[in-house]
Amino acid sequence: MGYELRVVREAPLAFAELAKAIAPAGFGLRRPDEIVAGHAGDTHVVGHWRDQVIGEPGSDWQVAQLIRLAAVLGARLVGEDGENYTVRDGIVELVAGGTVVEIGKYHEIIEAGPNAWSP
């Protein structure tokens, strides 16, 4: 299992609410628990429903999609160690303990697609 990111909301999210909210934003559901987004004519897993949205990203594209999904759901994206992932001024950022690390330009990450990170 990889590093988990969680979509965290103040109010719990019901599956029906998730399903209703994600379609207009371009996300879809595949199988009972997979949340997918499209790129280059194909669909790619962004996260899973496990009584909340959880992602195990393998690319910056997946992180950016999870941030977008969190925004659609009125939530925030939080890592296992309490760090937050956001988009500020078009830049995807990781914020932890007052330190900000820029991951990259949101639109460039989305355009590049779900290319997996190299070891």
Side-chain angles (χ1 to χ4, degrees):
M1 180 181 293
Y3 192 78
E4 286 187 349
L5 302 180
R6 298 176 186 276
V7 174
V8 177
R9 286 180 15 140
E10 295 301 318
L13 181 67
F15 181 78
E17 187 179 1
L18 168 77
K20 183 178 177 182
I22 65 172
F27 293 99
L29 294 171
R30 183 170 68 190
R31 300 186 192 158
D33 71 335
E34 290 183 338
I35 301 164
V36 296
H39 181 77
D42 201 3
T43 56
H44 305 273
V45 175
V46 172
H48 292 86
W49 173 255
R50 295 186 184 128
D51 292 326
Q52 65 180 340
V53 177
I54 297 173
E56 293 180 30
S59 70
D60 289 345
W61 182 85
Q62 288 173 310
V63 172
Q65 291 290 0
L66 283 165
I67 292 169
R68 188 169 72 88
L69 179 59
V72 165
L73 298 173
R76 56 194 174 91
L77 186 62
V78 179
E80 289 179 12
D81 297 324
E83 73 278 14
N84 288 288
Y85 295 80
T86 64
V87 175
R88 186 171 54 102
D89 299 328
I91 305 293
V92 176
E93 297 179 335
L94 178 151
V95 182
T99 301
V100 176
V101 176
E102 291 185 359
I103 295 173
K105 294 181 180 178
Y106 178 83
H107 75 277
E108 291 177 358
I109 291 170
I110 293 298
E111 287 174 14
N115 300 321
W117 290 318
S118 298

